Amino acid sequence: MTETNTNSRIGEELLSVNNIDLSFGGVKALTDISFNINKGEIRSIIGPNGAGKSSMLNVINGFYQPQVGHVRFKGKDYTPMRPALAAKSGIARTFQNIALFKGMSTLDNIMTGRYLKMHSSFIEQALYIGRAKREELEHREKVEEIIDFLEIEAIRKTPVGRLPYGLQKRVELARALAMEPELLLLDEPMAGMNLEEKEDMSRYIIDVNEQFGTTIALIEHDMGVVMDLSDRVVVLDYGRKLADGSPDEVSSNQDVIDAYLGVSH
Amino acid sequence: MFYREAGDFKTSYAADQSILSIKLDRYFVIGLIAFGVIVVPMIGNDYWLGSLLIPVLVLSIAALGLNILTGYAGQLSLGTGAFMATGAYMAYKVATNLAFLGAPVAIIIGGLSAAFAGVLFGLPSLRIKGFYLAVTTLAAQFFLLWLFTHVDWFVNYSISGVPSIPPMEFFGVLISGAEATTEARYLFVLGFAIILGLAARNLARCKMGRGWMAIRDMDIAAEIIGIDPLKAKLSAFAISSFYCGVAGALWAFCFINTVEPGAYDINRSFQILFMVIIGGLGSILGSFLGAAFIVLLPIFLNNAPQWIGLNLTSDVISHMEIMIFGALIVFFLIVEPHGLARLWQIAKEKLRRWPFPY
Ligand SMILES: Nc1ncnc2c1ncn2[C@@H]1O[C@H](COP(=O)(O)OP(=O)(O)O)[C@@H](O)[C@H]1O
Ligand SMILES: [Mg+2]
């Protein structure tokens, strides 16, 4: 890429999407989208409602299969990516509309994030012996670290359906972190939050990125947050890529100002 | 404060994870098992053991099975009776043609056959959900029962079509056939109920159980975590049907002493479904409570009016029974989907705080 990374936090390319075309029936959601995400960076995707941001994340983790183009992750091409492959190879995500397991406790939701890291057999589980027992305890320890990190100790045993919106968003982040992903896709993690909750969430995102070295793709509407957190920003509008670069470059781009920040919408 | 959690500090995650995290609960379960194994056979008469406890325990096993599928994995089934029948007929085939294998193996093979049928009829669940899946399982109910009534091979070409179960021994004690004592049949059934109950509880809290619940609550999120919907749903169908199959076989071997299609018709499927709803969806304890409740309520209704000096005709009583069941099912579906198990939990919380109001 053309940018030079002065920041040692950021490594080489982790993921790229290449010439993605995605349509639903006659509706074109994405048209010829290409961009990449480097190891360790916080990469934001912005754009007006309906621009195709969520669809982009859905292509990256294999929920939507694009008609054209491919996803490249850790040097491997996927045409297309599949959800199971994405999970296995280290991509986790949260959803714009919270997708928690409503009937389960906070703890069980996060433990479920460890699913692929557990290998006990059916018999071991039925008798709760051997690996089944050992794994429950080991993973519980890891999950407790995440619970401490996100400061949700008090709601450990609460069924998530009963939690307020802001906390549900945090539990969903916790569940994604439990997968120990290399790439974390966050779809509007701060939507509907008050200022204080937004500040907390921003801090968690930065901490995840810095402490665990997790690469993050972030969809966010609050431009203040985007400018503060992001290393690079890609701008979508009507399914097309409008601009791509550092927060400063993007925010001074005339097309972006017209389309996104301008008054025309 | 009769019931305490405070002061019972958990010092490790191991303690916190144990099946019932409160010590009292564990002692309660151990005590209950000991009571069921040692005291009940001594004090219980033939009526209590043979006509109440055996059916409660057998139907509890079927309710556990349906609860795994519907309560934990969220897949509605109306084919419980058919999977019970599969277990019964296949166990009968093994008991008559491969008698040397013994009763437990025959019953387990019955369960495995039911598991196989469950997986087969569970395959559509990968494509369809809710109401439409229920219709598919209804098809299983009618098809399998039709098979067992019309293919003579399943009943060893018996003329009546309702053959008796041969007498079989377990550790030298008869547990089936007309000669088996009520105590022996009760203990044999109780053994299955205890083992299958604990196994269900263990599965529910491990990886497998979380996979089921994840698919039930939010299948797209489950998929991005790496849970294979195919595996989760089919394993739920398999294990659920295994439980139902074992229950069906026990029903034949230790309760009615014959294999007959009437014992496993659509009414049975609904009966087990009501047990699960009233007992509590997604609760192991609830499966037992629901079964006990539904078996015992009619008996209570038959006797209660006389205790208070009322003389009702059996007509009135059976109508009352239907009305009370109907009202309860509506109540639990709307007000308390977690059923009796949840009410029990609330009662415990109240006891813990007693005598303080909050
Ligand atoms: N599953 C779908 N079926 C049909 N159309 C869809 C689907 N998902 C997204 N779209 C369409 O794709 C476009 C982009 O949507 P989306 O990616 O959700 O935008 P954003 O997240 O930027 O608000 C919209 O026109 C939307 O209606
Ligand atoms: Mg969106």
Side-chain angles (χ1 to χ4, degrees):
Chain A
M1 288 285 102
T2 47
E3 300 96 311
T4 49
N5 292 316
T6 48
N7 196 334
S8 65
R9 204 179 89 237
I10 294 168
E12 57 205 45
E13 181 179 287
L14 179 67
L15 172 125
S16 65
V17 293
N18 305 277
N19 312 102
I20 301 289
D21 272 359
L22 175 73
S23 52
F24 300 99
V27 183
K28 246 185 154 192
L30 296 169
T31 309
D32 196 26
I33 304 287
S34 304
F35 64 88
N36 72 353
I37 302 176
N38 293 327
K39 236 187 172 79
E41 80 175 330
I42 299 182
R43 183 75 146 121
S44 288
I45 304 173
I46 64 170
N49 272 332
K53 307 181 295 296
S54 297
S55 300
M56 196 59 245
L57 292 197
N58 282 334
V59 167
I60 292 176
N61 86 337
F63 247 171
Y64 292 168
Q65 274 107 44
Q67 281 78 18
V68 181
H70 68 274
V71 175
R72 192 176 173 79
F73 184 62
K74 290 198 283 187
K76 249 180 104 178
D77 283 334
Y78 297 89
T79 15
M81 180 60 100
R82 298 276 176 186
L85 284 176
K88 238 179 241 150
S89 54
I91 301 178
R93 76 171 287 183
T94 65
F95 291 83
Q96 185 171 350
N97 308 309
I98 300 169
L100 283 171
F101 307 126
K102 288 263 171 3
M104 299 162 75
S105 66
T106 298
L107 187 60
D108 277 332
N109 265 275
I110 308 172
M111 281 295 274
T112 309
R114 307 294 290 176
Y115 190 85
L116 281 182
K117 298 184 186 300
M118 297 187 172
H119 307 286
S120 56
S121 69
F122 168 70
I123 294 292
E124 286 169 312
Q125 290 181 57
L127 301 177
Y128 199 58
I129 51 166
R131 267 183 306 180
K133 186 170 185 178
R134 214 164 47 237
E135 280 179 349
E136 285 298 309
L137 302 181
E138 279 170 19
H139 291 288
R140 174 73 188 272
E141 234 156 86
K142 182 72 201 172
V143 163
E144 287 295 332
E145 279 173 38
I146 294 166
I147 287 177
D148 285 347
F149 176 79
L150 292 177
E151 300 163 294
I152 44 178
E153 296 90 342
I155 55 163
R156 231 190 235 106
K157 298 276 168 89
T158 316
V160 293
R162 283 196 226 150
L163 296 174
Y165 182 81
L167 278 178
Q168 290 198 10
K169 283 262 182 198
R170 217 187 281 184
V171 174
E172 208 189 7
L173 175 62
R175 186 182 65 188
L177 289 179
M179 294 173 72
E180 295 181 72
E182 278 179 69
L183 175 63
L184 177 59
L185 314 175
L186 301 174
D187 197 344
E188 305 200 16
M190 293 169 226
M193 286 187 166
N194 63 34
L195 192 63
E196 199 188 333
E197 288 173 323
K198 275 189 186 179
E199 278 171 0
D200 283 343
M201 187 53 88
S202 303
R203 186 162 50 82
Y204 294 132
I205 292 172
I206 293 171
D207 285 351
V208 167
N209 177 254
E210 287 183 350
Q211 289 182 29
F212 310 144
T214 310
T215 309
I216 292 171
L218 172 70
I219 296 180
E220 184 44 51
H221 277 300
D222 186 322
M223 289 311 287
V225 169
V226 170
M227 295 302 152
D228 279 354
L229 296 188
S230 325
D231 295 294
R232 287 187 301 158
V233 180
V234 53
V235 187
L236 302 184
D237 190 25
Y238 292 113
R240 292 174 185 278
K241 185 164 106 170
L242 211 59
D244 188 353
S246 71
D248 286 342
E249 285 164 8
V250 164
S251 58
S252 57
N253 180 311
Q254 195 55 47
D255 288 342
V256 177
I257 294 170
D258 289 346
Y260 189 71
L261 307 168
V263 284
S264 58
H265 276 277
Chain B
M1 295 208 288
F2 292 130
Y3 190 89
R4 291 163 51 96
E5 248 182 358
D8 181 18
F9 291 114
K10 293 148 195 153
T11 46
S12 69
Y13 297 133
D16 190 33
Q17 303 251 305
S18 57
I19 297 192
L20 296 162
S21 54
I22 303 164
K23 270 205 190 104
L24 266 171
D25 266 347
R26 186 173 323 127
Y27 294 146
F28 177 75
V29 169
I30 293 172
L32 196 66
I33 291 175
F35 183 79
V37 173
I38 300 162
V39 184
V40 171
M42 292 194 317
I43 60 167
N45 56 26
D46 257 18
Y47 173 70
W48 268 92
L49 292 182
S51 304
L52 301 182
L53 290 177
I54 289 178
V56 165
L57 287 171
V58 174
L59 296 179
S60 296
I61 295 172
L64 275 173
L66 182 62
N67 219 334
I68 285 172
L69 185 63
T70 304
Y72 284 95
Q75 313 295 307
L76 183 57
S77 165
L78 296 176
T80 314
F83 299 132
M84 290 175 73
T86 309
Y89 280 90
M90 292 313 289
Y92 168 75
K93 284 300 283 188
V94 174
T96 45
N97 295 312
L98 303 164
F100 65 91
L101 288 174
V105 174
I107 289 167
I108 286 167
I109 291 178
L112 292 174
S113 314
F116 178 75
V119 169
L120 219 58
F121 284 96
L123 281 171
S125 70
L126 305 174
R127 280 297 167 95
I128 56 180
K129 292 180 188 180
F131 175 72
Y132 296 97
L133 180 64
V135 172
T136 311
T137 57
L138 203 56
Q141 174 70 45
F142 288 112
F143 173 73
L144 287 172
L145 244 69
W146 177 87
L147 198 68
F148 298 134
T149 11
H150 287 86
V151 179
D152 291 347
W153 179 82
F154 287 108
V155 292
N156 290 339
Y157 309 99
S158 115
I159 310 285
S160 69
V162 183
S164 299
I165 302 292
M168 298 198 90
E169 290 184 351
F170 182 55
F171 285 113
V173 181
L174 274 176
I175 56 89
S176 70
E179 309 287 291
T181 64
T182 314
E183 282 84 2
R185 287 184 288 124
Y186 163 77
L187 285 173
F188 187 71
V189 169
L190 181 66
F192 271 97
I194 292 171
I195 292 168
L196 291 177
L198 292 175
R201 182 65 191 87
N202 286 338
L203 288 174
R205 69 175 163 154
C206 281
K207 178 183 179 182
M208 188 163 252
R210 282 193 293 265
W212 293 336
M213 292 187 277
I215 290 288
R216 170 195 71 190
D217 284 349
M218 188 60 76
D219 50 0
I220 53 164
E223 226 180 317
I224 58 128
I225 282 173
I227 298 170
D228 185 349
L230 178 116
K231 258 198 203 155
K233 287 179 182 174
L234 291 188
S235 68
F237 266 100
I239 294 165
S240 159
S241 309
F242 176 82
Y243 275 66
C244 293
V246 167
L250 287 172
W251 190 261
F253 279 52
C254 301
F255 187 51
I256 57 175
N257 204 27
T258 57
V259 267
E260 54 179 274
Y264 309 105
D265 61 8
I266 182 77
N267 291 324
R268 179 73 64 207
S269 298
F270 277 112
Q271 185 192 34
I272 309 287
L273 181 63
F274 294 158
M275 287 175 179
V276 170
I277 291 170
I278 288 179
L281 285 161
S283 159
I284 301 298
L285 175 69
S287 309
F288 287 93
L289 292 179
F293 188 84
I294 287 200
V295 172
L296 299 182
L297 182 71
I299 292 161
F300 173 79
L301 286 180
N302 269 311
N303 293 312
Q306 283 158 29
W307 297 338
I308 55 168
L310 255 131
N311 239 331
L312 300 178
T313 63
S314 59
D315 258 22
V316 175
I317 289 173
S318 68
H319 283 133
M320 262 171 58
E321 202 183 303
I322 292 170
M323 277 159 56
I324 291 177
F325 274 135
L328 279 171
I329 283 157
V330 172
F331 168 81
F332 279 113
L333 275 178
I334 295 174
V335 183
E336 191 48 83
H338 298 291
L340 291 172
R342 174 78 190 132
L343 297 183
W344 164 248
Q345 211 179 347
I346 293 171
K348 274 195 322 194
E349 272 162 28
K350 291 253 157 70
L351 272 180
R352 196 180 302 144
R353 295 194 196 104
W354 193 85
F356 309 104
Y358 49 83

